[in-house]
Amino acid sequence: NVLLFTRNYSNANQMKELCTSLHKEIIDSTGTLPFIAIDQEGGTVTRMMKDVAFAPSHMSCGASSVSDASYKVAQALGRDMIMLGMNVDFAPCLEVNKGCMDHNHNVRCFGSNPETIAQYVKRYIEGLSTYGVLGTAKHFPGSGDSTKDSHLELPVIESSKERMQNVALKPFKANIN
């Protein structure tokens, strides 16, 4: 299995060649179809920016007047990813937005209502799966209550058990299947 980053991508043709060679090498070596993943949420977390659809952030989908925006965005991402040879997207984010002051999570959240987020997430995952791409529900257990960037330091979530159950974990529970 392989996780690709921005540094692995120069254009769509190069990415397709890379993924094709990875598929061949892994299948020849193991007899198993590999998972080839990238972190392509949209918005500020976009690893492929050239020759593919540039997707809006989760927050933009949640605020959009476009009907079923999260599904349509994910469907476009899934189409581009599978065309280039990737089959796992490290998206969507299931955080519940505590407020726009949290720069680590604000645009990466579909909104502040756990039930609404759960529906956006469900449709996002269904959009990816239209083309056979697997979605990844992240960041368990819901780092929306953290004020630290987990890429730089270990976040500590100091929410009550009640808040975790009634807010942060709701989108995860609703999408467990």
Side-chain angles (χ1 to χ4, degrees), residues 109-142:
C109 299
F110 284 107
S112 59
N113 180 304
E115 289 83 11
T116 304
I117 293 167
Q119 288 304 308
Y120 285 125
V121 165
K122 179 177 190 273
R123 294 299 289 155
Y124 190 99
I125 291 169
E126 289 171 348
L128 288 173
S129 70
T130 300
Y131 289 97
V133 174
L134 299 171
T136 308
K138 63 181 191 180
H139 302 91
F140 187 83

Side-chain angles (χ1 to χ4, degrees), residues 11 21 51-52 56 60-61 135 154 161 176:
N11 61 57
S21 67
D51 305 325
V52 295
S60 295
C61 289
L154 182 64
K161 184 176 179 181
I176 197 85

Side-chain angles (χ1 to χ4, degrees), residues 31-87:
T32 304
L33 182 69
F35 289 123
I36 300 181
I38 197 162
D39 204 357
Q40 190 77 357
E41 292 171 21
T44 58
V45 180
T46 299
R47 305 297 180 229
M48 300 184 300
M49 295 189 178
K50 188 176 178 187
D51 305 325
V52 295
F54 186 84
S57 69
H58 289 357
M59 179 185 270
S60 295
C61 289
S64 177
S65 61
V66 174
S67 175
D68 214 8
S70 65
Y71 177 85
K72 291 173 182 171
V73 164
Q75 190 177 43
L77 291 173
R79 180 197 62 227
D80 288 346
M81 289 176 65
I82 208 72
M83 177 183 68
L84 299 179
M86 291 161 278
N87 53 8

Side-chain angles (χ1 to χ4, degrees), residues 1 7 9 17 22 28-29 50 53 65 77 91 102 104 119 143 151 155:
N1 301 305
R7 65 181 171 265
Y9 182 83
E17 289 174 14
L22 288 169
D28 288 352
S29 298
K50 188 176 178 187
S65 61
L77 291 173
D102 180 4
N104 294 322
Q119 288 304 308
S143 60
H151 301 94

